[in-house]
Amino acid sequence: MDIKTFETLIRTENTARRFFVKLCWKKYRRFCSRCRSYEIYRIAGKRFRCKRCKFTFHDFTGRWINRVQISCRQWLWIIKLFELELSARKISQQVALSYPTVLKAVNAIRMAIVAYSVDSAELLGGEIELDEAYFGGRRKGKRGRGAANKVPVFGILERDGIVRVEVVKDVSAQTLLDLTIKTVRRGSILYTDKFRSYDALMCCGYRHLKIDHHKRFSSGKVYINGLEGFWSYAKERLIKHHGVSKEKFPFYLKEMEFRYNNRNDTIFYLVFS
Ligand SMILES: [Zn+2]
C-alpha cells in the first residue's frame, strides 16, 4: 500500500475500520458466518443476528483480524511496518504495543499469506526451473544435501512468472515428482541440475534439460539462476529473524515466496480479507 492511501486510511479509527470491513464483505453484503444466509439484521453494538439460525456475530467474527484484540488503526500500522520488513520487536516499539501482542499479529498475517497462496495457486507452465535448498540448522558440519538439522525445501520457478516453494520431508524422487506434477502443467520444459531425484521427470510428460555445471556458461538457456536468486533473497531475509523454529519455518518460507512474487507491487493488504 502506498503512503498516500495509507495516510487516508489511518486518519481515524472509522476510516481504518471501513477499509477492513470492505475487504471482508464484498460490496458490504454481509451474511451469517455460520450458515451463510443473507437474512440478517442489525442489533446493538455493531453486531448482527441471523434470522435463520439466530447466530450473533460482528464484522470480524472468524476473520484473521479477530485473532488479536487491537484497534483497526493499530492493525493498519502493523501491516504497514510488516510490509516494510520490520521485525516484530521493532514494530512493537513503534506502535507501543507489547511484543507478544505484535508477534501474535504478525503471525496472523503470515497465516493469512499461507491461506492466500493456497487459494490463488494456479498451475505453472512454460519454462520452469526446479531446485532444492536447505535452510536453518547449525553452520558447522555437513552442508548441502543431507546436512544435519537442516530443513529441505523444494522450489519451482516459472521464468518471467512466480515461484512456489514448499518444505519437504525429504528430497527423494517420489517427493519431488509428486510436487512437480501437482504444480507444473504437462508439456512444460523443466531445467534442473544433475541431482538423480530428477531423473524420473522425463517419464511424466515433461521435457527435462539438465545443467552441466562444468559448462554452465556455454549451455544457453539451461540454467537455474532464477531459483538461485530466490534462495539468496529468502536466506538474506530470514537471517534477520535469528533462528526460526522448525514449526514456524513453513510460514516464514511462504512469506518469502509472497514477498518475492509481489516484490514490484504493494498489494500486501490483499491477503487480509
Ligand atoms: Zn445463520
Side-chain angles (χ1 to χ4, degrees):
M1 184 186 304
D2 61 281
I3 287 289
K4 228 174 170 177
T5 315
F6 181 74
E7 267 179 345
T8 351
L9 296 178
I10 203 82
R11 207 171 293 148
T12 67
E13 179 60 17
N14 241 332
T15 52
R17 188 187 161 82
R18 223 176 300 142
F19 169 73
F20 287 118
V21 170
K22 207 173 158 189
L23 273 182
C24 290
W25 306 101
K26 301 252 148 54
K27 295 182 184 162
Y28 294 108
R29 283 203 69 198
R30 296 176 174 91
F31 52 81
C32 168
S33 44
R34 190 200 267 162
C35 75
R36 306 189 85 77
S37 162
Y38 283 101
E39 286 196 51
I40 55 163
Y41 55 96
R42 207 176 271 269
I43 54 171
K46 288 186 179 160
R47 288 181 305 159
F48 302 90
R49 185 164 289 152
C50 174
K51 263 189 192 167
R52 203 204 274 171
C53 76
K54 304 284 177 255
F55 183 58
T56 304
F57 59 98
H58 57 81
D59 274 329
F60 304 132
T61 300
R63 307 278 181 165
W64 61 273
I65 193 175
N66 209 30
R67 285 171 183 266
V68 192
Q69 298 313 308
I70 53 176
S71 72
C72 292
R73 287 184 78 227
Q74 285 169 322
W75 259 118
L76 266 182
W77 268 116
I78 292 174
I79 293 168
K80 186 73 209 159
L81 298 175
F82 179 81
E83 181 188 323
L84 296 173
E85 305 192 42
L86 257 67
S87 67
R89 180 82 54 197
K90 283 193 176 149
I91 295 175
S92 79
Q93 290 160 358
Q94 293 291 323
V95 297
L97 282 167
S98 77
Y99 174 66
T101 302
V102 171
L103 191 62
K104 225 169 137 188
V106 296
N107 282 335
I109 296 174
R110 288 195 177 97
M111 272 185 253
I113 289 176
V114 173
Y116 176 86
S117 76
V118 171
D119 284 349
S120 63
E122 279 172 28
L123 281 182
L124 307 185
E127 291 189 297
I128 305 284
E129 299 180 18
L130 307 178
D131 193 22
E132 352 78 57
Y134 296 82
F135 284 78
R138 259 164 293 157
R139 293 201 172 265
K140 266 189 269 171
K142 244 177 118 182
R143 308 196 74 167
R145 281 178 186 127
N149 280 323
K150 293 197 178 249
V151 183
V153 172
F154 184 46
I156 301 176
L157 178 135
E158 183 183 68
R159 285 196 189 151
D160 301 319
I162 61 166
V163 67
R164 290 259 172 242
V165 282
E166 211 74 57
V167 173
V168 285
K169 59 179 193 326
D170 55 50
V171 290
S172 66
Q174 187 68 52
T175 305
L176 302 190
L177 198 62
D178 283 351
L179 263 175
T180 307
I181 290 171
K182 257 188 6 201
T183 317
V184 186
R185 215 173 296 131
R186 304 293 167 97
S188 302
I189 306 171
L190 306 180
Y191 299 102
T192 71
D193 60 17
K194 287 192 147 175
F195 186 40
R196 291 179 72 178
S197 285
Y198 295 121
D199 287 351
L201 289 169
M202 279 266 273
C203 322
C204 299
Y206 297 110
R207 230 182 114 201
H208 181 204
L209 296 168
K210 282 188 244 179
I211 300 155
D212 188 345
H213 274 291
H214 299 294
K215 290 193 287 185
R216 79 175 302 155
F217 296 107
S218 58
S219 43
K221 290 177 103 175
V222 189
Y223 56 81
I224 47 169
N225 296 2
L227 260 179
E228 279 164 5
F230 173 77
W231 298 137
S232 40
Y233 175 94
K235 284 181 175 173
E236 189 188 303
R237 280 168 175 77
L238 283 166
I239 283 173
K240 277 200 320 202
H241 298 288
H242 308 293
V244 176
S245 72
K246 266 198 173 157
E247 296 73 48
K248 290 270 164 62
F249 177 71
F251 292 98
Y252 282 78
L253 186 71
K254 280 288 166 188
E255 177 198 335
M256 294 307 139
E257 176 193 284
F258 181 80
R259 284 190 190 280
Y260 187 83
N261 289 339
N262 299 293
R263 62 198 182 282
N264 300 322
D265 301 302
T266 51
I267 63 151
F268 241 81
Y269 58 92
L270 264 188
V271 302
F272 309 115
S273 50

